[in-house]
Amino acid sequence: MKRIFTLADQAWLGSNLQYKWQKTLGNYIAVAGGIDSSVKIFDRYGQKKNEINLPGRCVAMDWDKDGDILAVIAEKSSAIHLWDANVNKTSQIDSGMRDQLSFILWSKTGPLLAVGTAKGNLLLYNQQTSRKIPVLGKHTKRITCGCWSSQNLLALGSDDRTITVSNHEGDTIRQTSLRAEPADVFFSVMKTDERSSPGESTVSVSVGKKTLFLFNLNDPDNPIELAFQPRYGHIVTYRWYGDGYILIGFSHGYFVVISTHIREIGQELYQAHNHKDSLYSVAISPALNRAASCGDNSIKVHDLSELKDISNIVHLDDETKGLDQLNWTDDGQLLAVSTQKGNLHVFLTRLPILGDSCGTRLAYLTSLLEVTVSNQVEGEDPVAIRVEIEPTFIAAGPFHVAVGMNNRAWFYALVDNGYERLKDIEYLGTIASMCLNADYAAALFEGKVQLHMMEGDDQDEERQMRLFPDDDSKGRILSHALTNDFLFYSTDTGSVACVLVEDWQTVNTYSHPVGVRKVFPDPNGTRLVAIDDKSDGFLLCPVTATDCSYEIPSFSPTITGVLWENWPTDKGVFVAFDDDKVYTYALHKTTIHGPQVVLVGSTKLPYAHKPLLLYNGELTCQTASGNTSTVPLSTHSFLHTHTHSFLHTHTHPAAGAHTHTGEELGAQLTQALMLKRFPEAWELCRALGSAAAWSEMGRSCLVHMELDLAIRVYRMSGNVGMVMSLQDVKGIEDKNLLAGHLAMFLNDYNLAQDLYLSSSSPIAALEMRRDLQHWDSALMLAKRLAGDQIPFISKEYAVQLEFVGDYVTALSHYEKGMTRDNKEHDEACQAGVARMSIRMGDIRRGAGQAIQHPSRSLKKDCGAILETMKQFSEAAQLYEKGQYYDKAASVYIRCKNWAKVGELLPQVSSPKIHLQYAKAKEVDGKYKEAAQAYESARDWDNVIRVLLEHLNNPEDAVRIVRETQSIDGAKMVARFFLRLNDYGSAIQFLVLSQCNDEAFQLAQQHGQMEVYADIIGSDATLEDYQSIALYFEGEKNHLQAGKFFQKCGQYSRALKHFLKCPTTEDNLAIEMAIETVGQAKDDNLTGQLIDYLMGESDGMPKDAKYLFRLYMALQQYREAARTAIIIAREEQAAGNYRNAHDVLFSMYTELQTQKIKIPAEMATNLMILHSYVLVKIHVKRGDHLKGARMLIRVSNNISKFPSHIVPILTSAVIECHRAGLRNSAFSFAAMLMRPEYRNKIDPKYRKKIEAMVRRPDTSEVEEESNPCPYCGFQLPQHELLCLSCKNNLPYCIATGRHMLVEDWSVCPHCEFPALYSQFTLLLETESVCPMCSETLSVNQVKKVSDCSQYLQPDQLEH
């Protein structure tokens, strides 16, 4: 609430004022009080209009029902003073009463004035007829209060504690007594379920300021008296409102509402301690539906529909003595409050909602005589314009504001520092509305629009002003609007005219079937929303040559106004509003549907809000309090999400995550897309992150033909197919063709067809329908566009009809599909005709065509159809013709035509058919043919059965069982052999049929256990092995018993039987015993076997090789190594040097694998034996020097070759002599001359050797030196111990020399080292490794560049 003026007068100081608002209009307020003997009359702006001088102080005053006449009575006077507001004149009438006048009141319904006196007399004065009716003795004491009813009844209260109710003639019709003095008499209607009588039938009165007395004129004997809680204080005043509710103010500041309904009476509906100390007055404004109370030094205003809501609180801090009376004008615009100091404050509680906008500039009424101009969007400071009258309209322009009332308008120019008044103009009629642009004003009055310049010389008035329409026959103008370039107006005949302001010529006129009552152009004047007399809305593009209009969907009939969006990028958005809602619409000019207007959504409009401006989704509204408020449109909620939540999420993801649910974001996405706000929609899709959101945006882009953006969107959603499709159509320039493609992508095929047909390529419609298999539509289009395609479409349609079972129509279309010049196509149609003929029952025609047709598959299809129709003979013939022999044979079998089956059998591959044929032949007794057929059917059991039972051919039966491993067949063969007493064969086939128990029993009965044991092999269970072992144990067959005890894991019993076996040449029992102990890993069993092998149990030591094998089986490699050395020594002693070499080599590699150190003796013996092996190789190759070097090494260790001392030494002498090593030859020859060897020398060499000794030649070829691979010390090639680092040197398995780092290689099998150059040389003539005897070629040997891994000292165990 805004205080607009305060009235104060020296004469009123410190007194309680009397004041009355002019009824109905509220333009004047009459005030009297204090020592002042006058009534001062002020207008609603606080300006004093007149003063009525009285002979004494004012006693009472009242305005008549229309607010035309003010009646005043004063002390010391019996005259009644009247002031006429219309002519501003005062008059007097004599009441004719002799006593002091105390009460005055005008009737609610007519010009009847009631005047009461201090002695209880009454005067009724008719202002119209000047008739006076004195009623003496109405009361016995002063009349203090009263009220007129709407039925013209007068209720009066007096100090004589009575209430009287009189008619307009003054006759008393009801009277009642009270307990105390009355105050505040009112007529009203009590709230009841049913109205007993029309009109105000209840009189209420405050009695002694303590109780409320309700007196029903229709039930005078049962008055109601209501008392209240003492803590409330006394009743200050009360008011009726609504449907029988009473609001009561109490002196202690309480504010109480009660109902007068008989069931609710006595109950407080609402109670509030509105003021802390005291309450002075209450007032109710039905126009505002509000109540006010004043107390202490504040005023509180409540909403009567929700009393808890306090809409305003006003504090009057300067009124320290307190407030007094509170009164509203009838229209609720002004609220007056008098104070104990003698001041009168007037507040503006409701303004007429007047305002206008131009672009983003607003002009609106902020006080009765104040218009505020603001532009918040561009950040301009508001300008308050003081106007001279209270306007009934406001018009805003880019640089001007106009206000006015009736037929007059005042113009103001907006300048940099404020405003300046230009002029005022009187028009030829009352102005209905006005519009401004930069230069012109357009005023609508009496069906015409006057267009004139606002600034300019009066001499040019003729040029500056013009009336539209210039011809009255064009109708009355109902609405108009002005933009920078155009004047628009609409008439009651349905015309909407567009006038170019520059030359005042009509550019375009649109004719509508009914009158158009409102027009709303956009800021540029390119689009215009119009509302016609049917309350329908439509949108025009008035400046274009085309007369096209678009209906606005879901347009509410209550719409009162339209605002266009002023945000530059949303040019096609506008809102239509009524008192309750705002509807958001968007015009989309480029869509696949063509230009269209869509309803985006609606927003609830707060009470008493008038929209003035729409900018970027925010509606600026004017309120009744003279302020503006912003209402964000619910259709633009995504803007707040975009500007706040998204930015917030980037910086504070956790906080932003709770702002909007996925459902809310989805709804906002839909709104953004409907408004074509694609950047915001993109961000929303990213926030949602769902494929559905991207898909929705993609579809919207397609509708709006935004191809580049659509491609981006579908890329984001991973829809590769759509991206490629869009890229294919992107370059199409024909809008209709492009829109058709997009409509097809959106599955709107009817629209796509329409667009294709209106494009430059109508054939695309036919192609689409064909691709979609919409054959009816395709045929219709083909008749119009491409007649040569009809046969092909008919054929494709027939295929579909055949699939769904419509054979009659399919046959027709197949026949229509014949072209006579496309062989492949015609054959397909003929095939269809054949199939459909058979389906339709014309079997002869269909089968005949199928047989003549070259296609095999057709014969198969027709055969299948005939088969389902039980026409087996014809079906089989077609199958046979089509070379589907399996199918033909199957159908021939169904009709028992075995002769045909037999003919076809060689071509039949189906086992099932062979089986059926075989069964038939067996029944006929033709067993050989049956057996062949069973074999073709791969039914081996039946083949075996027929061979055994009917053909007596066990050989083939046995062959088949062995090939097929048939269990049942094996059983049959076993039974056959059992009948022949061939138990071995029977056992074999019983085992094959997995009947092990039967086979075992048979073997046991007939002494065939060894056969059973051989047959069962490794497939038996442990129980089977145990059974066999026990059988052999009983038969004293120790070897077999031990063997099967070992297999079933009973190692102790197995060893016992093996040790009982007699000694044989191959010693199989000992081998088995070693294997058993190796598996058992039992020290006790190991000890038993060792004792046996050492001969401690029978005094006969066994061959050491068995002990070696035992240690190997037990993985006791050290013992095995020692045993191996012993075995090798024995082999050497026996002269089996290769065997000794192989034993040591195998043990050597095994120890290496187990990463156990090699015994030095083993390594040395292996080296010497290997040197011996190399001698033979080099001598055979003719390399005498290498052979001689190896023989020298062997001869130096001749004690290890006791069996061949003389031959070895002889060879050494010969080879050394040949190699030029004469000194070495001499020394070995001298050794041979010893007595023990001399006689053993081969006679053919003896003389030569003796001569060599007699004539010694000590010349010797010096041995080459090479570096040690460990330390590099130079030493002879064949020296294997380095004198410097004391390391045993690795030797070459090809030459016996020590290894060289730079010439290193290894055998890929045994990994023994060899000199690369020598090894490859050796392998040119040899094909095996000299160490491991594995086959080897030169290509397999690779030179090793880094031999460090092979040079690891201390690998030998000393």
Side-chain angles (χ1 to χ4, degrees):
M1 287 199 313
K2 180 178 180 182
R3 191 190 314 191
I4 55 173
F5 63 87
T6 298
L7 300 177
D9 195 291
Q10 192 67 30
W12 302 343
L13 200 60
S15 64
N16 291 340
L17 299 179
Q18 286 188 64
Y19 64 93
K20 289 281 184 179
W21 281 109
Q22 181 189 23
K23 288 181 184 169
T24 308
L25 300 173
N27 285 333
Y28 298 107
I29 185 169
V31 188
I35 58 172
D36 190 11
S37 297
S38 66
V39 173
K40 295 182 173 65
I41 299 168
F42 300 88
D43 64 14
R44 63 194 282 129
Y45 315 115
Q47 303 299 315
K48 185 175 173 183
K49 300 298 286 185
N50 207 335
E51 184 174 346
I52 305 170
N53 292 311
L54 304 173
R57 285 193 299 173
C58 174
V59 173
M61 55 184 160
D62 194 28
W63 292 87
D64 71 352
K65 69 178 181 70
D66 297 320
D68 293 335
I69 297 172
L70 174 68
V72 183
I73 54 176
E75 291 178 349
K76 305 172 187 176
S77 171
S78 61
I80 301 167
H81 300 265
L82 302 175
W83 180 73
D84 191 326
N86 294 326
V87 296
N88 194 15
K89 284 190 178 179
T90 306
S91 59
Q92 289 186 20
I93 54 170
D94 185 12
S95 65
M97 294 295 182
R98 299 292 175 222
D99 52 336
Q100 175 64 48
L101 304 181
S102 61
F103 170 79
I104 189 166
L105 191 67
W106 284 97
S107 166
K108 291 180 181 177
T109 58
L112 202 59
L113 181 65
V115 182
T117 70
K119 291 186 178 179
N121 299 318
L122 174 67
L123 173 69
L124 296 174
Y125 170 69
N126 190 318
Q127 164 69 12
Q128 202 166 354
T129 62
S130 300
R131 180 187 174 201
K132 298 177 186 174
I133 305 173
V135 182
L136 302 178
K138 178 63 75 173
H139 286 271
T140 58
K141 291 187 180 178
R142 173 189 290 269
I143 296 173
T144 57
C145 55
C147 182
W148 286 95
S149 78
S150 55
Q151 284 77 38
N152 229 16
L153 298 179
L154 176 64
L156 296 172
S158 168
D159 286 347
D160 62 5
R161 298 188 178 184
T162 61
I163 294 287
T164 60
V165 180
S166 310
N167 62 17
H168 64 283
E169 296 291 336
D171 301 330
T172 302
I173 58 174
R174 288 282 187 273
Q175 184 169 351
T176 186
S177 299
L178 305 170
R179 295 184 188 178
E181 289 78 13
D184 291 339
V185 177
F186 292 109
F187 269 103
S188 190
V189 183
M190 282 182 65
K191 185 179 179 185
T192 57
D193 291 332
E194 294 178 3
R195 300 287 178 225
S196 56
S197 64
E200 297 171 330
S201 58
T202 302
V203 177
S204 62
V205 61
S206 166
V207 179
K209 297 191 176 182
K210 290 184 179 178
T211 61
L212 196 61
F213 186 82
L214 303 177
F215 178 66
N216 192 332
L217 301 182
N218 301 320
D219 188 11
D221 298 329
N222 295 303
I224 298 169
E225 193 165 3
L226 302 173
F228 300 92
Q229 298 180 42
R231 68 188 177 94
Y232 291 169
H234 63 261
I235 296 173
V236 174
T237 185
Y238 71 94
R239 295 287 185 273
W240 288 79
Y241 76 92
D243 187 15
Y245 297 102
I246 302 176
L247 183 151
I248 310 165
F250 292 91
S251 59
H252 289 175
Y254 286 90
F255 179 91
V256 177
V257 175
I258 63 170
S259 169
T260 58
H261 194 288
I262 198 67
R263 287 202 300 268
E264 298 172 337
I265 206 157
Q267 295 180 16
E268 295 178 0
L269 302 183
Y270 176 76
Q271 178 260 93
H273 197 178
N274 243 19
H275 304 280
K276 184 179 177 184
D277 297 323
S278 57
L279 182 145
Y280 301 110
S281 181
V282 296
I284 281 179
S285 170
L288 291 180
N289 198 36
R290 288 188 179 168
S293 69
C294 66
D296 301 335
N297 61 345
S298 67
I299 302 168
K300 292 189 178 178
V301 181
H302 294 254
D303 192 327
L304 286 175
S305 57
E306 187 57 62
L307 285 160
K308 292 178 184 175
D309 293 345
I310 297 177
S311 59
N312 273 300
I313 300 177
V314 178
H315 293 282
L316 298 167
D317 296 329
D318 51 345
E319 298 294 344
T320 53
K321 289 188 177 181
L323 308 181
D324 189 18
Q325 294 300 310
L326 197 62
N327 276 294
W328 246 303
T329 55
D330 287 353
D331 60 7
Q333 284 192 9
L334 301 174
L335 175 67
V337 60
S338 60
T339 71
Q340 304 285 351
K341 276 186 177 181
N343 296 329
L344 184 72
H345 302 281
V346 176
F347 294 90
L348 186 64
T349 54
R350 183 177 76 169
L351 263 177
I353 301 181
L354 288 178
D356 192 24
S357 64
C358 179
T360 55
R361 175 171 284 115
L362 303 178
Y364 53 94
L365 196 64
T366 48
S367 186
L368 293 175
L369 298 174
E370 182 183 85
V371 174
T372 298
V373 180
S374 67
N375 191 337
Q376 293 179 351
V377 173
E378 296 184 9
E380 296 178 6
D381 293 332
V383 176
I385 300 174
R386 294 293 300 174
V387 296
E388 298 167 24
I389 46 92
E390 189 174 338
T392 56
F393 67 84
I394 295 175
F399 312 111
H400 303 85
V401 171
V403 299
M405 65 180 294
N406 297 333
N407 67 333
R408 194 171 177 187
W410 284 259
F411 292 90
Y412 300 87
L414 302 173
V415 294
D416 291 341
N417 298 322
Y419 67 94
E420 62 180 38
R421 181 171 176 243
L422 291 176
K423 59 183 174 182
D424 62 289
I425 297 177
E426 285 193 20
Y427 295 88
L428 301 175
T430 301
I431 300 168
S433 63
M434 180 175 278
C435 303
L436 309 181
N437 68 9
D439 302 309
Y440 289 89
L444 171 63
F445 55 87
E446 296 182 358
K448 291 188 178 293
V449 168
Q450 180 176 330
L451 180 67
H452 63 86
M453 293 189 76
M454 289 177 285
E455 299 184 45
D457 297 333
D458 292 338
Q459 291 83 1
D460 300 333
E461 190 172 342
E462 284 298 322
R463 195 178 60 79
Q464 290 179 354
M465 188 276 290
R466 183 165 176 185
L467 277 175
F468 295 94
D470 46 16
D471 184 358
D472 289 342
S473 63
K474 293 182 179 178
R476 288 174 52 83
I477 294 177
L478 301 180
S479 174
H480 78 300
L482 194 60
T483 66
N484 284 338
D485 300 310
F486 301 103
L487 166 68
F488 300 95
Y489 62 83
S490 63
T491 68
D492 56 357
T493 60
S495 294
V496 178
C498 172
V499 177
L500 183 63
V501 174
E502 186 178 341
D503 57 7
W504 294 357
Q505 294 300 312
T506 302
V507 176
N508 196 2
T509 303
Y510 170 79
S511 295
H512 194 63
V514 296
V516 179
R517 54 188 172 88
K518 286 189 180 177
V519 289
F520 304 95
D522 71 349
N524 297 327
T526 55
R527 304 179 186 95
L528 177 139
V529 173
I531 304 174
D532 63 18
D533 285 339
K534 292 181 180 178
S535 297
D536 291 332
F538 57 95
L539 190 140
L540 299 172
C541 297
V543 294
T544 60
T546 56
D547 242 12
C548 57
S549 68
Y550 313 113
E551 184 183 350
I552 300 175
S554 306
F555 198 76
S556 170
T558 58
I559 294 296
T560 57
V562 171
L563 286 176
W564 285 87
E565 173 66 81
N566 281 280
W567 199 53
T569 58
D570 261 3
K571 288 182 180 176
V573 176
F574 63 92
V575 294
F577 55 87
D578 55 19
D579 293 339
D580 302 317
K581 278 189 176 179
V582 179
Y583 303 89
T584 306
Y585 291 94
L587 167 65
H588 301 310
K589 296 196 73 172
T590 308
T591 73
I592 59 172
H593 306 282
Q596 61 175 178
V597 180
V598 295
L599 173 63
V600 181
S602 63
T603 307
K604 186 170 176 53
L605 196 61
Y607 175 73
H609 277 54
K610 178 192 175 185
L612 291 179
L613 168 67
L614 175 62
Y615 187 80
N616 197 19
E618 286 193 340
L619 201 61
T620 304
C621 300
Q622 184 182 0
T623 66
S625 61
N627 297 319
T628 59
S629 72
T630 302
V631 177
L633 295 178
S634 62
T635 52
H636 289 63
S637 56
F638 60 87
L639 290 174
H640 310 293
T641 305
H642 178 59
T643 53
H644 298 295
S645 296
F646 291 165
L647 295 176
H648 194 57
T649 306
H650 292 312
T651 52
H652 307 284
H658 299 290
T659 310
H660 294 279
T661 64
E663 194 173 332
E664 289 170 340
L665 289 175
Q668 290 172 7
L669 173 63
T670 303
Q671 292 172 350
L673 293 174
M674 289 180 79
L675 289 166
K676 207 175 171 183
R677 299 283 284 257
F678 290 126
E680 291 83 355
W682 181 277
E683 292 299 329
L684 284 162
C685 285
R686 288 179 60 188
L688 281 162
S690 69
W694 287 112
S695 175
E696 184 181 356
M697 184 173 176
R699 291 176 68 84
S700 181
C701 292
L702 296 185
V703 168
H704 293 291
M705 302 177 71
E706 296 280 351
L707 261 67
D708 290 330
L709 181 58
I711 289 169
R712 284 181 60 207
V713 170
Y714 282 116
R715 276 199 183 117
M716 286 295 288
S717 63
N719 191 337
V720 179
M722 187 62 88
V723 171
M724 294 179 72
S725 300
L726 290 173
Q727 286 175 336
D728 287 345
V729 303
K730 186 177 173 184
I732 295 174
E733 293 183 0
D734 185 331
K735 286 290 182 187
N736 285 335
L737 182 58
L738 178 59
H741 287 315
L742 299 181
M744 181 178 66
F745 295 159
L746 292 168
N747 303 330
D748 192 344
Y749 304 121
N750 292 335
L751 174 62
Q753 178 174 316
D754 294 342
L755 289 165
Y756 283 142
L757 291 175
S758 60
S759 75
S760 59
S761 178
I763 197 71
L766 174 59
E767 292 168 359
M768 177 190 75
R769 290 298 185 186
R770 285 185 69 172
D771 292 341
L772 293 169
Q773 298 186 357
H774 295 171
W775 303 115
D776 285 330
S777 301
L779 280 170
M780 291 173 65
L781 289 168
K783 286 173 187 174
R784 288 170 52 191
L785 302 171
D788 59 327
Q789 292 297 309
I790 291 175
F792 302 101
I793 296 170
S794 293
K795 178 246 176 181
E796 290 169 349
Y797 192 11
V799 171
Q800 185 185 3
L801 290 167
E802 180 182 356
F803 180 74
V804 299
D806 188 353
Y807 304 125
V808 178
T809 318
L811 177 59
S812 169
H813 281 289
Y814 274 130
E815 289 170 342
K816 289 176 185 174
M818 303 293 285
T819 62
R820 313 289 180 227
D821 58 0
N822 187 324
K823 184 181 177 185
E824 185 179 346
H825 171 79
D826 287 352
E827 283 181 357
C829 290
Q830 287 165 0
V833 170
R835 287 194 302 273
M836 294 308 99
S837 297
I838 292 172
R839 294 275 192 196
M840 299 296 297
D842 192 350
I843 294 172
R844 181 177 295 177
R845 178 190 178 192
Q849 288 197 352
I851 289 169
Q852 292 171 9
H853 201 279
S855 169
R856 284 182 65 221
S857 61
L858 174 64
K859 297 177 178 65
K860 180 183 177 183
D861 294 341
C862 291
I865 296 168
L866 287 166
E867 198 176 345
T868 59
M869 296 168 68
K870 303 287 192 292
Q871 303 295 320
F872 298 123
S873 177
E874 292 84 354
Q877 287 175 14
L878 282 173
Y879 282 137
E880 190 176 354
K881 290 286 185 184
Q883 300 176 9
Y884 293 100
Y885 299 115
D886 286 15
K887 298 286 263 177
S890 174
V891 176
Y892 277 131
I893 286 170
R894 292 182 72 176
C895 55
K896 302 289 190 288
N897 191 341
W898 297 111
K900 290 294 288 183
V901 175
E903 289 176 21
L904 295 176
L905 213 57
Q907 284 89 23
V908 172
S909 61
S910 169
K912 184 179 176 183
I913 293 166
H914 283 284
L915 187 62
Q916 288 177 305
Y917 183 73
K919 287 178 180 175
K921 287 297 174 185
E922 188 177 356
V923 169
D924 290 346
K926 297 178 179 176
Y927 300 116
K928 192 169 184 181
E929 292 175 26
Q932 289 172 352
Y934 277 131
E935 192 166 352
S936 298
R938 308 184 72 78
D939 187 348
W940 305 115
D941 293 347
N942 277 320
V943 174
I944 293 163
R945 179 179 58 76
V946 172
L947 287 171
L948 294 176
E949 291 180 5
H950 299 297
L951 298 175
N952 197 22
N953 186 352
E955 293 83 2
D956 285 348
V958 168
R959 175 182 57 78
I960 290 169
V961 168
R962 291 189 190 283
E963 287 173 359
T964 62
Q965 297 293 305
S966 167
I967 292 172
D968 291 335
K971 285 183 184 177
M972 286 188 278
V973 173
R975 284 195 294 272
F976 179 82
F977 281 121
L978 204 56
R979 287 198 298 273
L980 297 177
N981 297 326
D982 185 349
Y983 303 116
S985 300
I987 289 167
Q988 179 182 352
F989 286 98
L990 281 171
V991 170
L992 202 59
S993 64
Q994 299 179 1
C995 298
N996 289 2
D997 291 342
E998 293 175 28
F1000 179 79
Q1001 290 168 9
L1002 192 64
Q1004 200 172 11
Q1005 289 170 10
H1006 299 285
Q1008 299 286 329
M1009 191 58 72
E1010 289 191 17
V1011 174
Y1012 173 67
D1014 286 344
I1015 292 166
I1016 199 164
S1018 60
D1019 298 331
T1021 62
L1022 293 178
E1023 289 78 7
D1024 290 338
Y1025 288 137
Q1026 187 172 358
S1027 301
I1028 296 168
L1030 291 170
Y1031 173 82
F1032 282 126
E1033 188 178 38
E1035 295 291 322
K1036 298 286 191 290
N1037 188 338
H1038 297 299
L1039 182 63
Q1040 292 290 352
K1043 180 179 175 183
F1044 286 96
F1045 274 129
Q1046 180 198 5
K1047 285 187 176 183
C1048 68
Q1050 298 184 21
Y1051 301 116
S1052 176
R1053 295 178 74 175
L1055 182 64
K1056 184 177 78 174
H1057 282 287
F1058 285 137
L1059 298 183
K1060 285 181 181 178
C1061 288
T1063 305
T1064 59
E1065 282 187 14
D1066 57 359
N1067 282 319
L1068 180 61
I1070 297 175
E1071 298 279 2
M1072 294 293 288
I1074 291 168
E1075 185 182 331
T1076 302
V1077 170
Q1079 289 176 1
K1081 298 207 171 31
D1082 184 324
D1083 293 343
N1084 187 26
L1085 297 182
T1086 304
Q1088 286 182 37
L1089 183 56
I1090 290 172
D1091 290 346
Y1092 175 76
L1093 293 174
M1094 300 300 286
E1096 293 184 11
S1097 56
D1098 56 1
M1100 293 173 62
K1102 309 299 181 290
D1103 196 329
K1105 69 182 179 181
Y1106 297 118
L1107 194 62
F1108 168 68
R1109 288 176 188 164
L1110 173 64
Y1111 285 136
M1112 290 296 286
L1114 294 171
Q1115 297 179 357
Q1116 295 179 3
Y1117 298 111
R1118 295 180 191 280
E1119 291 79 358
R1122 285 197 287 273
T1123 310
I1125 292 169
I1126 294 167
I1127 293 169
R1129 201 179 296 147
E1130 289 177 355
E1131 292 286 357
Q1132 279 178 265
N1136 300 325
Y1137 305 123
R1138 186 76 212 188
N1139 289 355
H1141 177 280
D1142 292 347
V1143 168
L1144 289 177
F1145 168 72
S1146 62
M1147 194 65 232
Y1148 190 101
T1149 54
E1150 186 65 37
L1151 291 175
Q1152 270 191 329
T1153 304
Q1154 300 300 327
K1155 295 184 178 173
I1156 297 171
K1157 285 191 176 182
I1158 313 296
E1161 185 182 356
M1162 177 183 284
T1164 303
N1165 285 352
L1166 179 61
M1167 181 269 293
I1168 293 167
L1169 285 168
H1170 188 66
S1171 300
Y1172 180 79
V1173 170
L1174 287 176
V1175 170
K1176 291 185 177 180
I1177 293 171
H1178 289 306
V1179 168
K1180 185 177 73 174
R1181 292 179 69 244
D1183 193 339
H1184 299 293
L1185 180 61
K1186 288 176 185 170
R1189 293 292 184 195
M1190 290 298 100
L1191 278 168
I1192 292 169
R1193 184 181 291 165
V1194 172
S1195 299
N1196 288 336
N1197 294 276
I1198 197 65
S1199 62
K1200 298 189 182 297
F1201 301 90
S1203 301
H1204 296 84
I1205 293 174
V1206 173
I1208 291 171
L1209 289 173
T1210 303
S1211 297
V1213 171
I1214 294 166
E1215 288 303 316
C1216 287
H1217 192 269
R1218 284 178 180 172
L1221 304 177
R1222 304 293 168 83
N1223 191 35
S1224 297
F1226 168 74
S1227 62
F1228 295 131
M1231 198 180 293
L1232 279 172
M1233 290 297 104
R1234 291 178 186 174
E1236 62 266 32
Y1237 306 137
R1238 189 168 183 173
N1239 294 326
K1240 296 178 182 177
I1241 300 171
D1242 191 333
K1244 64 182 177 182
Y1245 298 121
R1246 184 183 299 169
K1247 289 183 180 179
K1248 289 181 182 178
I1249 294 168
E1250 286 175 351
M1252 203 179 293
V1253 173
R1254 289 191 189 103
R1255 292 183 293 276
D1257 184 353
T1258 57
S1259 62
E1260 184 93 347
V1261 176
E1262 189 176 348
E1263 188 175 354
E1264 291 182 28
S1265 293
N1266 283 327
C1268 166
Y1270 288 103
C1271 64
F1273 180 74
Q1274 293 288 331
L1275 67 159
Q1277 284 180 333
H1278 293 85
E1279 183 59 55
L1280 300 182
L1281 178 67
C1282 178
L1283 301 175
S1284 174
C1285 61
K1286 306 299 182 189
N1287 273 318
N1288 285 308
L1289 306 184
Y1291 56 89
C1292 169
I1293 58 173
T1295 62
R1297 301 172 185 170
H1298 69 74
M1299 290 298 294
L1300 298 175
V1301 173
E1302 66 275 5
D1303 195 22
W1304 200 290
S1305 67
V1306 293
C1307 169
H1309 300 298
C1310 61
E1311 294 192 347
F1312 269 76
L1315 293 168
Y1316 178 75
S1317 56
Q1318 298 297 324
F1319 199 21
T1320 52
L1321 190 66
L1322 177 71
L1323 288 174
E1324 288 176 1
T1325 56
E1326 302 295 321
S1327 59
V1328 295
C1329 170
M1331 177 63 79
C1332 61
S1333 301
E1334 293 288 339
T1335 304
L1336 197 62
S1337 68
V1338 176
N1339 298 332
Q1340 289 176 269
V1341 179
K1342 306 294 178 189
K1343 193 169 186 177
V1344 177
S1345 56
D1346 181 11
C1347 57
S1348 56
Q1349 59 173 319
Y1350 302 104
L1351 292 173
Q1352 295 176 359
D1354 299 328
Q1355 290 294 305
L1356 303 180
E1357 189 181 63
H1358 298 285

